[in-house]
Amino acid sequence: VLVESLLVFIIVLSVHAVVWDRFSWCTIALAIQAFYVQFKWDRLLQLGGAVFQFRGAANSGLLPASMVIPLLGVVMKERCRAAGIVYFERFGIVVASTGMLLALFLSVLAVGITKPVPTNTCILTGIAGSIIIYTMKHSLTVSEVIEVLEVLLIFVYLSMILLYLLPRCFTPGEALLVLGGISFVLNQLIKRSLNVIEGRGDPIDFFLLVAVVGVVLLGLFFTVLFIFLDSGTWISSMFFHMMTAVLGLGVIMPWLYRLIQRNPLFWLIQFLFQTQTRLYLLLYWTFLAASACGVVFYQNAKRSSESKKHQASTITRKYFHFIVVATYVPGLIYDRQLLYVAAVLCLAVFILLEYVRYFRIKPFGQTLRHLLSLFLDERDSGPLILTHIYLLLGMSLPVWLFPRSCAPKGTLPGAGALVPYSGVLAVGIGDTIASVFGRTMGEIKWPGTKKTFEGTMTAIFAQIIAVALILIFDSNVNLNSSYAWILASVSLVSLLEAYTTQIDNLLLPLYLQIMLMA
């Protein structure tokens, strides 16, 4: 925990050494108090004193999670200010302020339920909170303050509902990232739905917002419904399929139609088949999806009837990382907008299939449970299987969060040109190579972990080679001699992978994106 915290502090100080403004004091104060509060959360989790059931075999992860959203907002603000895009500069300020307030709320919650009340931590939390609120008072307009408070309110209610319904699925830090992200998306969707201006806004952004909110609302609806019904019967399954169609066509489609001012299905079909390159990419991705399904069926076929408890090895699970890299790299090089939309569709399909598995919806629910049980690891300790969804999110978030409006000619200068590749580098290549080489060749273990020195060094080397290949094949990438910063970013994130107990598929790409955008 101490080394993980040290690495996060180095990243925070590195970013603010480049981007220093009034929010830097807030971020550093938040990091110091989160470091202290993290130990209170860890103690609560060990003693079983937390309000909800969190994922075991991991620390709270409050410090690394608390820094992600504020740092993302700060670097986005600076990039958009440099490009002269005032609207998105203000948006970055709102993102940073929202992230700080959400992290502060989680800290206050831990301090409030700790007995006896920790005096020193309370003082630190009070000082950090005062600095953040003072800075927000002098940085945000009244409407922006209301927007931040709306996200906080949504986060509070969403946390109470989802953490109760999904025990042992998240650590406090993961809950902050996932539920904070969903809260922000929901607030943005409500705000944009109430202020629709024809011709303003990119349809693919609206597509992401509606898809995320739609599948979350669908899950909440069926969770409440199946409290009163047995979800494993054919009648309940037919009702599930019927209501999914009704909510999709009767609520989500009209909502999307209002935002993009055209028929969503016609727009999607026209978008997907607009060019010959897109058709080739779709055919290629279909082949890779079939290959991934083939790996699942092949591994299950190998599972003999005598070894029901047999689990796929970590190296076997990394096959999917290689497949995902092969999926994303051509999309990033040839058509990022298509990759953006395809990733949204894939996320919606993954979540719907998880609903089918979780609720045992006929005819595929029990089959999915059997097929996917082979690939479970210690992080899937709750009722949901989330590791494959986290992998998709880790690869897609750098594409979705890339500030296109603030990027002249579709790319950022210097190391920022690699931002969309953050997921590919950190998870697809770095995490995969570290795992494979660490388990097969590693002998020197990092102190206090199961990760090896050889695995980490090989991961750094592999990512540097990947950057060189990106320079060769992607003509849009021009690093402008920022090689030392790229090496430092890759090295810090690879070391963080060795020491963090959080979901690395989610955390590492975001930190690499922050470093590269700075």
Side-chain angles (χ1 to χ4, degrees), residues 368-379:
L368 282 172
R369 284 192 169 222
H370 175 72
L371 291 174
L372 296 181
S373 63
L374 178 66
F375 299 94
L376 295 178
D377 62 12
E378 68 277 0
R379 295 174 296 184

Side-chain angles (χ1 to χ4, degrees), residues 215-288:
V215 292
V216 171
L217 293 179
L218 205 62
L220 290 173
F221 172 79
F222 285 120
T223 301
V224 173
L225 178 69
F226 289 134
I227 291 174
F228 307 101
L229 295 174
D230 179 9
S231 61
T233 64
W234 273 106
I235 293 176
S236 296
S237 299
M238 289 175 63
F239 190 72
F240 173 90
H241 297 304
M242 183 178 69
M243 287 306 298
T244 300
V246 168
L247 291 172
L249 297 174
V251 177
I252 295 173
M253 287 298 175
W255 201 347
L256 192 54
Y257 179 86
R258 171 174 168 74
L259 290 168
I260 67 175
Q261 301 293 313
R262 67 188 84 168
N263 187 301
L265 285 177
F266 291 159
W267 169 80
L268 183 60
I269 292 169
Q270 182 184 7
F271 178 87
L272 292 177
F273 301 103
Q274 195 168 16
T275 64
Q276 196 171 25
T277 303
R278 290 185 176 181
L279 185 60
Y280 289 147
L281 280 172
L282 289 172
L283 290 172
Y284 171 66
W285 289 340
T286 303
F287 168 74
L288 289 177

Side-chain angles (χ1 to χ4, degrees), residues 300-482:
N300 273 273
K302 285 174 62 178
R303 178 165 52 176
S304 64
S305 58
E306 293 83 19
S307 57
K308 292 293 185 184
K309 294 185 179 179
H310 169 71
Q311 293 298 112
S313 66
T314 302
I315 294 176
T316 301
R317 288 199 294 271
K318 297 304 176 185
Y319 289 160
F320 297 103
H321 286 234
F322 286 119
I323 291 173
V324 170
V325 170
T327 302
Y328 273 71
V329 170
L332 287 167
I333 293 174
Y334 294 111
D335 198 328
R336 291 182 186 177
Q337 282 201 326
L338 178 65
L339 180 64
Y340 187 115
V341 172
V344 174
L345 287 171
C346 197
L347 177 65
V349 170
F350 272 23
I351 295 176
L352 286 173
L353 287 176
E354 182 57 22
Y355 291 159
V356 170
R357 187 205 65 84
Y358 175 64
F359 293 122
R360 306 188 309 279
I361 301 299
K362 294 180 181 297
F364 303 113
Q366 203 59 43
T367 305
L368 282 172
R369 284 192 169 222
H370 175 72
L371 291 174
L372 296 181
S373 63
L374 178 66
F375 299 94
L376 295 178
D377 62 12
E378 68 277 0
R379 295 174 296 184
D380 290 312
S381 55
L384 295 183
I385 300 176
L386 296 172
T387 45
H388 61 297
I389 296 175
Y390 284 139
L391 174 60
L392 178 66
L393 283 174
M395 301 292 287
S396 303
L397 282 172
V399 180
W400 294 339
L401 298 176
F402 181 74
R404 299 190 308 279
S405 301
C406 305
K409 299 179 182 178
T411 185
L412 294 172
L418 292 173
V419 165
Y421 289 94
S422 300
V424 171
L425 292 171
V427 175
I429 295 171
D431 182 39
T432 306
I433 297 297
S435 179
V436 172
F437 278 83
R439 288 181 179 272
T440 55
M441 300 168 56
E443 294 182 0
I444 307 170
K445 293 188 182 297
W446 289 108
T449 77
K450 296 179 181 178
K451 306 295 178 67
T452 65
F453 174 81
E454 293 90 344
T456 303
M457 291 301 107
T458 322
I460 295 171
F461 185 62
Q463 289 175 79
I464 297 303
I465 292 175
V467 170
L469 292 173
I470 290 168
L471 274 170
I472 293 170
F473 290 103
D474 192 343
S475 58
N476 293 320
V477 176
N478 182 11
L479 300 182
N480 294 337
S481 303
S482 51

Side-chain angles (χ1 to χ4, degrees), residues 6 52 68 100 146 176 180 185 206 273 291 297 350 411 429 436 441 501:
L6 176 63
F52 301 104
V68 169
M100 291 176 191
I146 293 171
L176 173 62
V185 166
F206 294 135
F273 301 103
S291 303
F297 289 121
F350 272 23
T411 185
I429 295 171
V436 172
M441 300 168 56
T501 56

